[in-house]
Amino acid sequence: MAVPFFCCTFAAMQTPIYIIEEEKLRRNLQLIKGVAERTQSEWILAFKAFALWKTFPIFREYIRATTASSLSEARLAFDEFGAKAHTYSPAYKDEEFDEIVSCSSHLTFNSLSQYERFHERAGECSLGLRVNPEYSEVETLLYNPCAPGTRFGVSADKLPDRLPEDIRGLHCHCHCESGADVFERSLQHIEAKFAHWLPQVEWINFGGGHLVTRKDYDIELLVKLMEGFHKRWPHLKVIFEPGSAFAWQTGPLVASVVDIVEDKGIKTAILDVSFTCHMPDCLEMPYYPEVRGAKHGDKGYRLGGNSCLSGDFMGYWQFDHELQVGEEVVFEDMIHYTTVKTNTFNGITHPAIGMLKSDGKLEILRRFGYEDYRNRMD
């Protein structure tokens, strides 16, 4: 059993710091490997949610490939993961395309115009086309890839009766932290819309947002759905590319109270982290993160970030004691969609990144300093 991070044998921990826990990461990876085997599909890591490349040696024990959405991500796949990427971008740039091809095994086009412009330069890549099923149960429009006016994918009414000969697959993404029940309904729409073209391709990529590592995810339903799908389309290779599922509940962000201020009866604990800089999904989604040892409610402390943005706060949390300057505040489940989206607004100290090893020792993978802030403008 892994030792909780707060019991580790290491020198006084400096905050802020993201801590990824190796045992929890391996637990997720083992579960996903089992799901891949049972569903006869390939599951690959989406860098948009998690790109901590120093953990890639662990990932390589369980999966074989990753997915990229830019030249930098494709290079990361090739250089650090050691395998060519399944690459998709809303739009490829002429000056980047050839290098993307050199780092990719699969390459998906977002539009027919992008296909026409670039397909002859795609080399040995297995080419795909992103399609829009015009159905998604994602309620937050910011995260809904099928919302009216979407810039993602080709709808069925715009596809030619016969796909180009070099299109080998279809890519469809319409989920966000979704369950198997949502996938069941989405799959009905996908097949209804694109059954005409499925016999013409070799693979289908169902994208990300399949949160199989969440405790209430119905894995048995997913297995049943895939059994039926393989019977209907036995020639198709099936690919899933979640990001959150791999790093779900694998570690916290540890912060410290820097000051406590009060105005109009509202107490705000100002922390050495920032929601807008270090936990952007909390403001974008928005959602309230779980805080260890505290209960979210309508009383207690508002938690404030240490930036100049007026709205850099969330509240309220009730603690079982009066907060003190210097004590730690632990935000749970802060590994996915955090380090990939953080920024250095205001030059606030960026959290370090550490890994809690299975033996209970904390390894610091990266610390950030002034040079990291300065060099972004260099």
Side-chain angles (χ1 to χ4, degrees):
M1 180 179 294
V3 180
F5 79 89
F6 46 80
C7 296
C8 297
T9 56
F10 54 88
M13 181 174 60
Q14 294 182 349
T15 65
I17 181 171
Y18 297 102
I19 300 178
I20 183 168
E21 301 182 45
E22 180 182 359
E23 187 169 279
K24 293 181 178 179
L25 176 63
R26 287 187 179 275
R27 175 199 63 200
N28 284 356
L29 286 163
Q30 186 61 52
L31 187 151
I32 290 172
K33 181 180 179 181
V35 169
E37 292 171 351
R38 294 186 63 194
T39 57
Q40 301 177 57
S41 57
E42 182 174 17
W43 289 63
I44 60 181
L45 170 67
F47 287 159
K48 68 176 183 178
F50 183 86
L52 187 53
W53 57 268
K54 289 184 179 180
T55 65
F56 287 175
I58 296 175
F59 276 80
R60 286 298 301 269
E61 296 178 31
Y62 302 88
I63 65 172
R64 295 180 297 176
T66 59
T67 180
S69 298
S70 64
L71 172 57
S72 291
E73 287 188 343
R75 285 193 57 182
L76 191 71
F78 188 73
D79 294 345
E80 304 298 341
F81 193 84
K84 291 187 175 183
H86 293 234
T87 303
Y88 158 80
S89 175
Y92 298 106
K93 297 178 65 176
D94 184 78
E95 63 269 28
E96 295 180 347
F97 188 75
D98 292 338
E99 189 172 2
I100 287 176
V101 168
S102 70
C103 297
S104 303
S105 62
H106 295 63
L107 195 146
T108 296
F109 294 102
N110 184 59
S111 66
L112 290 169
S113 58
Q114 281 267 297
Y115 164 80
E116 290 292 344
R117 181 178 178 186
F118 290 112
H119 77 105
E120 292 182 353
R121 292 166 54 184
E124 300 300 316
C125 290
S126 181
L127 302 186
L129 190 66
R130 178 160 177 171
V131 292
N132 174 16
E134 302 176 85
Y135 177 85
S136 175
E137 297 185 21
V138 179
E139 295 180 354
T140 304
L141 287 181
L142 183 66
Y143 294 91
N144 186 345
C146 300
T150 181
R151 67 188 196 281
F152 297 134
V154 183
S155 55
D157 62 308
K158 295 182 176 65
L159 287 176
D161 184 67
R162 184 72 190 175
L163 294 173
E165 289 297 325
D166 55 353
I167 291 293
R168 298 286 183 261
L170 297 179
H171 177 115
C172 183
H173 174 68
C174 55
H175 299 91
C176 179
E177 297 187 354
S178 302
D181 58 325
V182 177
F183 180 54
E184 180 177 29
R185 294 186 289 272
S186 300
L187 188 59
Q188 294 172 0
H189 285 264
I190 293 169
E191 291 190 77
K193 289 282 187 179
F194 302 106
H196 175 76
W197 293 277
L198 291 181
Q200 301 178 31
V201 294
E202 300 170 357
W203 53 264
I204 185 166
N205 186 326
F206 287 122
H210 307 272
L211 198 48
V212 293
T213 49
R214 189 173 60 197
K215 288 183 179 179
D216 63 349
Y217 190 94
D218 191 345
I219 292 176
E220 297 307 315
L221 175 57
L222 178 65
V223 172
K224 180 182 178 181
L225 292 173
M226 283 296 95
E227 287 175 349
F229 187 83
H230 287 305
K231 287 180 180 178
R232 294 189 296 276
W233 312 102
H235 70 290
L236 285 179
K237 177 181 178 180
V238 175
I239 303 165
F240 293 87
E241 50 175 45
S244 296
F246 283 96
W248 182 259
Q249 295 289 348
T250 56
L253 170 59
V254 185
S256 293
V257 178
V258 180
D259 194 14
I260 298 174
V261 298
E262 185 172 352
D263 182 63
K264 307 298 183 184
I266 299 173
K267 286 186 177 180
T268 302
I270 301 178
L271 310 175
D272 58 357
V273 294
S274 161
F275 289 100
T276 190
C277 295
H278 310 135
M279 296 172 278
D281 273 5
C282 292
L283 299 182
E284 291 178 0
M285 188 66 172
Y287 78 96
Y288 288 102
E290 182 179 346
V291 177
R292 186 172 300 180
K295 180 182 179 181
H296 179 251
D298 58 358
K299 297 180 180 179
Y301 291 90
R302 192 168 66 177
L303 299 181
N306 200 12
S307 80
C308 292
L309 177 68
S310 298
D312 189 4
F313 66 86
M314 297 196 81
Y316 295 85
W317 278 269
Q318 299 173 12
F319 294 80
D320 62 3
H321 62 282
E322 293 290 323
L323 290 181
Q324 303 295 321
V325 170
E327 75 170 277
E328 292 178 353
V329 174
V330 180
F331 294 92
E332 305 285 12
D333 191 26
M334 281 292 162
I335 300 301
H336 58 92
Y337 281 109
T338 48
T339 53
V340 292
K341 296 180 73 171
T342 56
N343 61 72
T344 57
F345 171 61
N346 260 180
I348 297 170
T349 299
H350 191 290
I353 303 174
M355 173 175 278
L356 177 61
K357 307 290 285 185
S358 296
D359 61 6
K361 295 180 180 179
L362 181 67
E363 176 185 359
I364 301 298
L365 302 179
R366 182 76 156 86
R367 287 198 185 279
F368 299 86
Y370 164 69
E371 290 76 15
D372 298 290
Y373 169 72
R374 175 187 177 276
N375 291 345
R376 291 186 72 248
M377 314 295 172
D378 189 356

